[in-house]
Structure formats: structure tokens, C-alpha cells
Amino acid sequence: MDLTYTEEEEDFRARLRAWLARTLPELPPRPDPLDWPGRRAYDMGWQRRLYDAGYAGLHWPADAGGQGATPTQHLIFLEETEKAGAPYVGANFVGLLHAGPTIASEGTPEQRARWLPPVLRGDEVWCQGFSEPDAGSDLASLRTRAWRDGDHYVVSGSKIWTSHAEVADWCELLVRTTPVSEAVPKHRGISWLAMPMDAPGITVRPLRTLAGSTEFAEMFLDEVRVPVANRVGAENDGWRVTMVTLSYERGTAFVGEVVACRRVLGDLAREARKNGRWDDAVLRRRLGRLSAEFGALWRLTQWNVSESQRSGGVPGVGGSVFKLRYSHARQELYEAAGEVLGAGALDLDHEWTLDRLSSLSYTIAAGTSQIQQNIVAERILGLPKGR
């Protein structure tokens, strides 16, 4: 497989670099990481700049409001923006990287017209309402109930680890439209809804992470009315729609972070040379192995993007291979950062210390490593399901 870039793709890279060089010096100071309203405003301001320049939803199809760029051009965009130190998607993560692409793939023309342009313009933020206290890795066990009442679903239940709920306008919500006791198998009784976060009956309680931030929340739903027109896909077909969502989350959502990790690795080597830790042969070998690891992950990313391009834009099960290995490699990277920092690894004001704490969640977020191993075993290696 040819993983080199074409002349057209390199021209795209050059134009993007020139735009970033002009635009980044004009950005306002970044807000306090704990100021979520401020972060929302900053992130949405960056999204609007991307939209005005023609870089918003770059890889989305043109009929969904995107630019219709190839997955390879999207990969170049992620690579160059990260190298330039451009803002990440931040509060727009759910809307731009998986709720939006899911609606683009599975939504009706009316749903696309309503929800996709505000995501691309930076007008509306989405949160993810999938996991529940008793349905995390086993997502099909969710019990948040939705029953029909005329043109609405009435939703009651609770969600946890709801990303960006406290600043969101919409929630991609998984609900049970057929009780667990009646759904055989249980995943067939689930539906995918777009829930307005200003609807009566919604209570959001932020959760504080080890790093002190509150990008997750508990969410309690007490007879919240959601229009039936807000269902994406057919009733009880939400599991299939969810697999589209998760394929984006696992397949392409972490691509920019691989570039960031390669940059951090170079910074670690420079810091180790400066503070004398470079004399430790074990540490040098560890950094060298991590360099090879992230180089391989970047090549895997290119391969996954090529496969996505051939399959119509939806990432395949190769995303689970990437997610599985990347989660552990990121944790190993910041363990190495702790070695380089020495006693400084206890400084909570140091960026690497905060990243080290956040890296602990990566083997859980977007599907636990155990779930990814099952997917790889069953769907790639063809092994039988466990009993």
C-alpha cells in the first residue's frame, strides 16, 4: 500500500501551513482550563475561524455541509494543526468528531440540515449520553427508558461520564425503547436520540477528575420529552447507529493526539539531556522504544485512513486495534515523563503531570481495552465469542 502523499495533497499542506501561520498569532489568550464557559467560547471561536476559512468539517461529505476532502487531507489537517500548536476541538469534540459524522451518515436530510451547520459554525455544542452507572463496558445493558407518548418520547433514567454536559446544547443519547426483559438480544431494544439540553427534567452534576477538571458529568433525566423526529435511525435500531458513532470515536478521534504524543516525546528527550536524566541507559531505551511505537501508530493511522477512504468514509474495526495500542502507549509515554521529571512529577502545575493523570482514563474511555480486545479477537481474528 502506497502511504506517500500526492502532489495535490502536499499543495493542500502548504496552503494550510500558510493559513495557520497567519491566523494563530491573532488568537486571544487561552482560558483557564477549569473555566468551562470560557473554554466553550474559546473553542467555538476557533471553530468559527475554521468554518470561515473552509476547514470546518473538512472530511465531511459536501451534502452534509463539509468540504468533501479526502480522509488523507483530513489526516494532513490534523497533523499540521497539531504541529503548529493550534487549538484542539475541545468542547466541540462530541459534535465534530462523532455525533456530527453519525448524523451525516445516518440522519435524514431534515436532521442534517438542522444539526450539522451549527456544529460546523461553532454555534452549538454536543455532549455524549451513553454510559450509565450499571452500563459502561456492557453498554447494551443500559436502562434509561424512553416510551412513546404521541409525537414524543418520554425519557427517564441516568447517565454518567457525560462529556461536556454542563456547556452542551444537545446530547447524543442512547435510550431503551424496548425493556431489557423483552429485547432478545438486549441490544436490539436501543434507540439513538438527539436530546435538547434545555428540556425540562434534566439535571446535570459535574464530576471532578484527578486533574481537577470537570469535562464529565452525571446526568439525571426525569420524564424528559424528546420529539420522535429527533430519533436518528429506526426505533430499536440504535445499536447499529451507535456502532457507527463508536467507529468514528475509536477510528479517527485520537489521530491528532498521536502527533501530540510524538511532539511530547521529542520534548522529553530534550529535557532529559538538560537535567542529566539522559545518562540513564534504561530511560534512553524506553524513549527509543516509544519513538518506534508512536511511529508505528502513525503508520497504522495512515492505513486506517486509507481503508476508510475505500469503504466510504466510515472507519472499520482497525480503529479498535489503534485505540487498544494507543491507550497503553499514551500511558507509557507519561510514565516516562514522570521518570524524566523526577521529583517534579508531583508538581500539579506541570502540563506533563496533568497529562499523566488524564492518561489513566484512556484505557477506559471510548471503550475499555478489554472490549477492544474482544472486538479484535472476534471481528479480525475470527475467534469464537466467550461464553
Side-chain angles (χ1 to χ4, degrees):
M1 178 178 293
D2 185 6
L3 297 178
T4 59
Y5 296 109
T6 66
E7 183 177 343
E8 180 182 2
E9 289 163 348
E10 291 295 359
D11 179 64
F12 171 80
R13 185 193 300 275
R15 287 185 281 111
L16 174 60
R17 281 181 178 175
W19 179 80
L20 289 168
R22 294 192 306 270
T23 304
L24 293 181
E26 301 173 353
L27 295 182
R30 299 196 187 211
D32 187 314
L34 302 183
D35 175 13
W36 269 103
R39 288 179 64 175
R40 172 187 163 128
Y42 182 88
D43 295 340
M44 296 302 99
W46 171 244
Q47 184 62 30
R48 183 66 195 213
R49 288 175 184 264
L50 292 174
Y51 179 82
D52 291 341
Y55 290 117
L58 194 68
H59 62 304
W60 288 17
D63 61 357
Q67 304 301 313
T70 67
T72 301
Q73 287 174 318
H74 181 223
L75 193 67
I76 292 171
F77 171 81
L78 295 171
E79 183 179 17
E80 292 300 323
T81 51
E82 178 57 44
K83 283 182 177 179
Y88 189 49
V89 290
N92 208 25
F93 179 90
V94 176
L96 194 64
L97 299 187
H98 41 91
T102 301
I103 294 169
S105 297
E106 300 292 331
T108 65
E110 293 78 15
Q111 290 171 338
R112 288 181 173 198
R114 168 59 189 89
W115 288 315
L116 298 184
V119 170
L120 294 177
R121 292 193 303 262
D123 292 339
E124 293 180 345
V125 172
W126 284 67
C127 63
Q128 186 182 64
F130 282 15
S131 296
E132 298 181 4
D134 294 318
S137 298
D138 185 14
L139 188 58
S141 294
L142 67 90
R143 293 183 178 275
T144 294
R145 186 80 168 90
W147 60 93
R148 287 285 291 266
D149 180 20
D151 294 334
H152 286 77
Y153 287 106
V154 181
V155 182
S156 290
S158 66
K159 296 289 179 177
I160 198 167
W161 310 123
T162 308
S163 308
H164 306 317
E166 61 184 304
V167 293
D169 303 291
W170 292 90
C171 177
E172 53 170 0
L173 184 71
L174 291 187
V175 297
R176 183 158 290 287
T177 39
T178 297
V180 176
S181 59
E182 299 176 17
V184 182
K186 59 188 175 183
H187 65 264
R188 289 187 180 169
I190 293 171
S191 296
W192 199 106
L193 303 180
M195 181 179 69
M197 289 296 288
D198 60 355
I202 300 175
T203 301
V204 173
R205 296 179 184 170
L207 296 168
R208 193 166 298 278
T209 68
L210 276 174
S213 60
T214 56
E215 61 263 35
F216 303 111
E218 294 179 287
M219 185 167 64
F220 301 92
L221 310 172
D222 183 12
E223 297 190 355
V224 180
R225 298 182 68 84
V226 179
V228 173
N230 288 18
R231 187 189 67 231
V232 175
E235 185 170 289
N236 293 327
D237 192 34
W239 188 257
R240 183 190 61 80
V241 179
T242 301
M243 292 304 100
V244 174
T245 305
L246 294 179
S247 70
Y248 282 110
E249 187 175 27
R250 296 164 185 167
T252 57
F254 295 107
V255 170
E257 297 189 30
V258 174
V259 183
C261 286
R262 297 180 80 179
R263 173 179 51 79
V264 169
L265 191 58
D267 292 342
L268 284 178
R270 283 186 285 274
E271 178 63 24
R273 288 188 176 96
K274 187 166 59 175
N275 68 13
R277 296 290 293 160
W278 192 251
D279 295 335
D280 185 337
V282 174
L283 176 61
R284 290 202 308 272
R285 283 195 296 271
R286 187 173 194 179
L287 295 179
R289 184 180 58 76
L290 282 168
S291 178
E293 181 94 34
F294 283 105
L297 279 168
W298 183 247
R299 285 302 189 182
L300 177 59
T301 296
Q302 292 177 304
W303 185 86
N304 284 339
V305 165
S306 297
E307 287 296 293
S308 172
Q309 190 166 341
R310 291 198 302 176
S311 63
V314 178
V317 293
S320 289
V321 178
F322 169 84
K323 168 61 173 59
L324 177 62
R325 191 53 233 163
Y326 170 70
S327 297
H328 292 271
R330 183 182 175 93
Q331 289 181 349
E332 292 172 16
L333 171 66
Y334 285 105
E335 285 295 320
E339 290 187 38
V340 171
L341 289 173
L346 300 177
D347 180 5
L348 292 177
D349 290 327
H350 198 293
E351 181 181 4
W352 290 346
T353 302
L354 295 176
D355 285 337
R356 185 183 185 190
L357 293 175
S358 70
S359 74
L360 299 175
S361 70
Y362 276 68
T363 48
I364 301 172
T368 66
S369 290
Q370 290 78 10
I371 292 296
Q372 306 312 313
Q373 288 169 340
N374 285 344
I375 292 172
V376 170
E378 294 166 11
R379 300 186 192 176
I380 297 179
L381 301 179
L383 298 177
K385 291 186 177 183
R387 294 175 180 249

